[in-house]
Amino acid sequence: MNASDMPKNPYLLLTPGPLTTTASVKWAMMQDWCTWDDDYKQIVQDIRSELVSLATSQSGYTAVLMQGSGTFGVESVLTSAVPQNGKLLVLANGVYGRRMVHIARKAGIRCCVSDSGETKPPDLDRLKSMLTIEPSISHVAVVHCETTTGMLNPILEIGNIVNAFRKVFIVDAMSSFGGIPLDMAQIHADYLISSANKCIQGVPGFSFIIAREDELRETRDRAKSLSLDLFDQWEAMENDHGKWRFTSPTHVVRAFAQALAELKEEGGIEARYHRYAKNQLLLVSGMKALGFQPLLPEPLHSPIITAFRYPNHPGFDFGLFYRLLKQRGFVIYPGKVTDIDTFRIGSIGDVHEQDISRLLQAVERSMYWRVGIPGGWEQGLSKHRYNERVWI
Ligand SMILES: *Cc1c(COP(=O)(O)O)cnc(C)c1O
């Protein structure tokens, strides 16, 4: 098999992970590696140090790779970091914030939550008063980019408050790390969690945690799980120079190393951020021109993913819209907001302005409203142009 034989993608993924990866990232998986051989372990060590340097310019930080999807990484941190006598405060405004609460409850970690609702940023005054009233809170966790809506939470302001109260700060930067510039020392984050298949543009298979080393060292024997024990995983990687405790996703790791090299080639996080931001601006202006409204006001938006309200037309059918877009080569994401009907379109991955332009054309052609006749559909906004009616 040659690189030119590689099957073509059936569609462009406009979802926030797994996302569209380059052919060269996929190609990097075409070799088998031994999980404990020195050459492979060196790749792991290089990845770990590269992740630390992407996360901060300060020293005293370390990186741990953990098998599983992003949620495994979050679960690993929460169940390894919060001690028996500690208490976790989660600032939630979407599915991923609430998932942290769920993880804590399952693991029997004492936990409280400040939920500002899916369309509002965290309430910083409430955070201060909760930390004042409840001194047993030891850890505060928040999602950076809440992928539910695309909202970018103010982690710098939150980090300053958490630091003023001397609490441990955990940031789920799953869908932002590598795509939005940040320095974890500046935001006072003790733990930053992300995964292989988001903005670094690797394939799914492991998550990673960048941690303040002094804080991580405090957590020996705290973990409530063997396989997700963050300290033990870190200690094994440190002492055995890149060795994972259990079978590692070798092909995925190799692809991730390639993805990191391509991030560098692109010009680093800053350049990638600009590409994503351009994609997102083009997407929003184009969708607005077609009559779609974003769920959030512009200032709350991230360049990562955008939630759109269903069009204000009783005949809109998301299932049909999705299928027509897929036939035209694009996969978008259903919504996850509780009270409002939405769908989401991601702007991350190996996705460029010309892809967004093609998507907007496909969206225009896929806007069919259900009409009175059973099984009848009529072209939406542009019906004066297309004047099409189909029976499905
Ligand atoms: C993707 C994502 C996760 C992890 O989800 P998995 O399906 O376990 O990979 C967690 N938090 C956020 C904000 C995410 O975007």
Side-chain angles (χ1 to χ4, degrees):
M1 186 176 165
N2 304 308
S4 56
D5 298 333
M6 198 147 86
K8 285 255 170 317
N9 272 338
Y11 39 67
L12 196 73
L13 280 169
L14 295 171
T15 56
L19 36 66
T20 303
T21 55
T22 60
S24 35
V25 161
K26 288 187 275 281
W27 191 245
M29 290 188 285
M30 290 292 131
Q31 282 173 318
D32 302 313
W33 293 78
C34 175
T35 190
W36 44 258
D37 177 77
D38 284 345
D39 293 342
Y40 174 72
K41 288 197 305 188
Q42 190 55 49
I43 296 175
V44 175
Q45 292 297 73
D46 292 344
I47 288 174
R48 292 179 62 214
S49 62
E50 182 65 15
L51 287 175
V52 172
S53 60
L54 288 175
T56 181
S57 56
Q58 304 289 307
S59 57
Y61 294 81
T62 185
V64 193
L65 314 187
M66 183 61 81
Q67 291 94 335
S69 79
T71 305
F72 291 64
V74 177
E75 185 148 3
S76 168
V77 170
L78 298 184
T79 56
S80 301
V82 186
Q84 209 70 42
N85 60 355
K87 187 171 184 175
L88 174 70
L89 165 61
V90 178
L91 304 177
N93 52 1
V95 169
Y96 297 99
R98 275 183 241 125
R99 188 175 295 171
M100 293 203 271
V101 178
H102 200 177
I103 290 170
R105 297 217 166 120
K106 279 249 177 195
I109 296 167
R110 292 199 304 149
C111 176
C112 52
V113 54
S114 170
D115 195 326
S116 52
E118 285 150 335
T119 55
K120 293 215 174 62
D123 183 337
L124 302 186
D125 290 331
R126 179 133 193 264
L127 168 63
K128 281 183 215 158
S129 65
M130 284 179 92
L131 290 173
T132 310
I133 296 164
E134 185 62 69
S136 69
I137 292 170
S138 53
H139 293 62
V140 177
V142 71
V143 177
H144 184 201
C145 170
E146 195 22 286
T147 319
T148 313
T149 54
M151 192 188 300
L152 201 58
N153 283 324
I155 44 170
L156 177 61
E157 288 84 346
I158 297 168
N160 282 336
I161 297 170
V162 174
N163 182 54
F165 282 85
R166 301 267 164 251
K167 309 296 181 186
V168 177
F169 189 30
I170 299 168
V171 178
D172 170 349
M174 204 70 64
S175 61
S176 59
F177 184 78
I180 300 179
L182 68 88
D183 188 311
M184 70 181 287
Q186 193 191 2
I187 61 167
H188 303 290
D190 296 282
Y191 297 93
L192 200 76
I193 310 151
S194 186
S195 76
N197 61 279
K198 303 248 171 162
C199 297
I200 304 286
Q201 297 183 187
V203 301
F206 70 90
S207 58
F208 54 85
I209 294 100
I210 302 134
R212 199 163 61 76
E213 196 169 322
D214 287 346
E215 179 54 39
L216 183 61
R217 280 184 193 282
E218 298 285 310
T219 62
R220 181 190 288 278
D221 294 330
R222 257 187 214 174
K224 295 175 173 58
S225 151
L226 174 76
S227 53
L228 295 176
D229 188 327
L230 187 66
F231 181 89
D232 278 2
Q233 183 90 339
W234 174 70
E235 199 178 47
M237 281 189 176
E238 277 295 290
N239 294 347
D240 209 344
H241 313 292
K243 183 171 183 305
W244 302 52
R245 290 173 304 159
F246 312 120
T247 301
S248 72
T250 47
H251 303 80
V252 177
V253 167
R254 188 62 197 78
F256 190 75
Q258 176 64 26
L260 281 174
E262 291 178 16
L263 173 62
K264 218 174 226 172
E265 264 165 47
E266 187 173 344
I269 293 177
E270 197 76 40
R272 185 156 291 180
Y273 170 76
H274 285 298
R275 173 163 62 84
Y276 289 169
K278 264 195 199 161
N279 286 348
Q280 200 259 351
L281 284 178
L282 182 61
L283 174 72
V284 169
S285 63
M287 289 294 279
K288 276 185 174 167
L290 292 171
F292 291 92
Q293 284 310 315
L295 174 71
L296 298 180
E298 207 56 50
L300 298 180
H301 258 290
S302 67
I304 304 296
I305 186 167
T306 309
F308 293 95
R309 291 169 184 270
Y310 279 13
N312 193 14
H313 190 295
F316 179 74
D317 180 308
F318 178 74
L320 178 70
F321 184 59
Y322 175 89
R323 287 194 301 278
L324 291 174
L325 281 178
K326 186 172 152 190
Q327 279 169 17
R328 295 187 162 109
F330 301 94
V331 161
I332 63 167
Y333 217 39
K336 262 191 186 170
V337 178
T338 327
D339 299 330
I340 308 164
D341 285 328
T342 56
F343 61 86
R344 292 174 289 171
I345 302 181
S347 28
I348 59 176
D350 184 29
V351 173
H352 304 263
E353 270 182 283
Q354 60 271 31
D355 298 313
I356 302 291
S357 302
R358 286 193 302 112
L359 166 77
L360 291 166
Q361 287 169 13
V363 166
E364 186 174 22
R365 297 197 180 114
S366 306
M367 291 168 63
Y368 281 91
W369 311 142
R370 200 184 297 116
V371 291
I373 320 142
W377 302 84
E378 193 168 63
Q379 249 270 327
L381 286 186
S382 334
K383 74 179 165 207
H384 51 284
R385 245 195 284 165
Y386 292 94
N387 199 23
E388 252 184 74
R389 207 171 250 200
V390 291
W391 282 267
I392 294 164

